Amino acid sequence: MQSSAKPLSVRDTSVRSLTRLVEADAELLSAQLQTLRARAFPPSAQKVLRKFMAGEAAKLIGISDAYLRHLSLEGVIPEAEKNGAGRRLYSLEQIHEIRRHLATSKKGYSPERKEGEALQVIAVTNFKGGSGKTTTAAHLAQYFALRGYRTLAVDLDPQASLSALFGIQPEFDLGPNETLYGAIRYDDQQVPLSQIIQKTYFAGLDIVPGNLELQEFEHDTPRVLAERGRAQDRMFFARVGGALQSVEENYDVVILDCPPSLGYLTLSAVCAARSVLVTIHPQMLDVASMSQFLHMTAGLFDVVERAGGNADYDFFRYVVTRYEPSDGPQGQIVGLLKSLFGERVLTNTLLKSAAISDAGLTKQTLYEVGRENFHRSTYDRAMEALDNVNGEIEDLVKGAWGRPV
């Protein structure tokens, strides 16, 4: 009997060989990353946040170093650890504890939202990769946590760069249903978001990690949209917001790190958000790409709004990232953006900095690395730019809550 199976063509064989080659490269790289992580954070391969000098701690709390010392001498706050030089060191947990102590006797030391103040969900997005989106989201989430806000970071990007910055290696550390997909999927395997959220080494900052599983939402949604009779709460643009609503009592601020694309995940995120930040690298090709992004976004928002979705925001701002003040053409582009969009462009810019790049080599942010690890002027310049941008965003959040700024 003659077989009906077709012989493999040379092209079929080469494609299969390429598939095996790429898969082998992926496994090789994953294993090496796991080895590097274990080497960088022995013995448990878990990241730990550094301690803060007394001056840093006082600045974060909003008091003077002298008053912090006075509270310590009175014994009303936890006793600080001292380094070899006799300088006081405070953990972030201790800083939060001091802040809570002060909040019981004085107003203004607890930034947590009050009754009537809505959970502030901020989507950080851009259509183009390389705009500093994840770096912006990570530093912003950590900034809010350092200042005492109960913060949740959500990694919506299947590439999971935000998760990696927080010491999570997606291929090894996450199982099925341990990303946001588990809480927004359409079938009976959906789980509550509270079961997916993980604590981080940053006290007051939790994370919903991401990995390639998130891509399943992009595959499932077209099939669901094709089905008739779907209830409103089953629509894709309501699912991220619904999941966040289930945990809103636990947080003040949520930072959504969106994928660099206009897929269903990004649209779901911007529909769930109360505010949106669009990162811009001030190069002409990036700005041209952003123009297309905005055209597409406007069209899709119109479709979503007509279907019952929400696109009203407390604020919508452009964030200039990786900016080099000495670069004339970049300065011209920033000037152009501000002349076109006015106050929708943040006054402050995120600088391109060797300090931020060097910290990223060890999967850390600038807020995690001490000043002693860098040339002081380089560190101070980068930190000032970060704090200025994030402080401007914090003021927008306070304004949305009706607080004085």
Side-chain angles (χ1 to χ4, degrees):
M1 181 177 179
Q2 192 173 12
S3 172
S4 60
K6 294 182 179 179
L8 283 177
S9 68
V10 174
R11 185 177 182 279
D12 291 334
T13 305
S14 64
V15 168
R16 292 189 180 189
S17 298
L18 181 59
T19 301
R20 286 194 293 269
L21 176 64
V22 172
E23 183 64 31
D25 285 352
E27 292 176 359
L28 185 64
L29 181 58
S30 295
Q32 186 61 36
L33 289 171
Q34 181 78 329
T35 301
L36 291 172
R37 184 181 69 162
R39 190 180 301 162
F41 307 108
S44 62
Q46 298 296 315
K47 294 182 73 174
V48 177
L49 184 61
R50 68 181 177 90
K51 302 288 180 69
F52 295 86
M53 303 289 284
E56 292 179 292
K59 183 179 178 182
L60 287 172
I61 297 166
I63 59 177
S64 67
D65 192 5
Y67 186 47
L68 182 61
R69 187 182 300 108
H70 171 72
L71 291 172
S72 181
L73 291 173
E74 282 190 337
V76 297
I77 63 171
E79 185 174 350
E81 174 189 330
K82 291 186 178 180
N83 63 13
R87 294 182 175 178
R88 291 167 294 145
L89 298 172
Y90 294 87
S91 68
L92 185 53
E93 290 90 342
Q94 289 175 313
I95 292 171
H96 289 330
E97 191 174 337
I98 295 167
R99 198 180 272 118
R100 284 191 292 269
H101 166 76
L102 293 171
T104 61
S105 56
K106 299 181 180 182
K107 293 182 179 180
Y109 283 102
S110 175
E112 294 182 7
R113 62 192 177 96
K114 312 298 188 294
E115 186 177 353
E117 296 176 340
L119 175 68
Q120 184 60 234
V121 182
I122 304 173
V124 184
T125 184
N126 193 304
F127 182 67
K128 194 174 189 298
S131 66
K133 177 179 57 62
T134 296
T135 301
T136 301
H139 282 99
L140 183 60
Q142 291 179 355
Y143 173 91
F144 276 113
L146 286 168
R147 278 149 185 80
Y149 296 89
R150 300 170 299 165
T151 308
L152 176 65
V154 182
D155 193 347
L156 280 163
D157 190 346
Q159 296 178 76
S161 298
L162 183 70
S163 302
L165 265 177
F166 281 95
I168 299 170
Q169 191 168 341
E171 310 96 301
F172 292 97
D173 299 336
L174 300 177
N177 265 17
E178 292 186 351
T179 71
L180 185 66
Y181 176 69
I184 62 174
R185 60 191 301 161
Y186 298 95
D187 58 24
D188 57 6
Q189 295 184 51
Q190 184 183 114
V191 296
L193 182 60
S194 58
Q195 294 182 17
I196 299 170
I197 293 170
Q198 296 187 22
K199 298 290 183 184
T200 72
Y201 51 91
F202 251 83
L205 174 55
D206 297 343
I207 189 171
V208 178
N211 67 9
L212 288 173
E213 180 185 66
L214 287 164
Q215 199 63 31
E216 295 300 318
F217 188 69
E218 304 287 355
H219 300 151
D220 293 345
T221 300
R223 172 182 52 79
V224 173
L225 289 174
E227 297 177 9
R228 296 180 180 272
R230 284 290 179 184
Q232 183 68 20
D233 64 351
R234 299 282 287 171
M235 294 300 289
F236 76 90
F237 54 76
R239 303 189 74 75
V240 173
L244 293 176
Q245 191 174 19
S246 70
V247 297
E248 66 177 340
E249 293 303 317
N250 302 326
Y251 301 101
D252 306 306
V253 179
V254 178
I255 307 298
L256 306 177
D257 184 27
C258 300
S261 63
L262 264 182
Y264 296 111
L265 282 168
T266 299
L267 282 171
S268 299
V270 296
C271 286
R274 294 191 67 92
S275 304
V276 173
L277 299 173
V278 179
T279 54
I280 307 173
H281 181 217
Q283 296 280 6
M284 189 50 70
L285 285 176
D286 294 77
V287 172
S289 173
M290 190 187 76
S291 173
Q292 296 303 308
F293 169 77
L294 294 176
H295 277 299
M296 293 171 66
T297 302
L300 290 167
F301 275 176
D302 182 57
V303 173
V304 168
E305 282 186 316
R306 282 191 274 112
N310 176 47
D312 290 332
Y313 298 116
D314 290 333
F315 58 86
F316 183 100
R317 293 293 186 273
Y318 300 103
V319 186
V320 176
T321 62
R322 298 171 56 207
Y323 177 53
E324 299 177 75
S326 60
D327 188 316
Q330 285 197 18
Q332 291 177 12
I333 291 174
V334 172
L336 171 66
L337 293 170
K338 289 186 175 181
S339 69
L340 291 173
F341 304 136
E343 67 173 12
R344 291 197 302 280
V345 180
L346 289 187
T347 301
N348 297 285
T349 59
L350 287 170
L351 301 181
K352 182 177 182 180
S353 171
I356 294 176
S357 299
D358 290 349
L361 290 174
T362 53
K363 292 186 180 179
Q364 296 182 94
T365 69
L366 201 60
Y367 288 134
E368 299 176 58
V369 185
R371 187 169 182 248
E372 66 278 2
N373 295 286
F374 301 97
H375 191 285
R376 288 191 173 186
S377 62
T378 302
Y379 178 88
D380 290 345
R381 186 167 56 252
M383 185 63 80
E384 182 182 17
L386 273 175
D387 283 346
N388 286 343
V389 168
N390 292 331
E392 192 173 345
I393 296 167
E394 182 187 14
D395 285 346
L396 290 169
V397 170
K398 288 179 178 179
W401 284 338
R403 299 184 187 181
V405 297

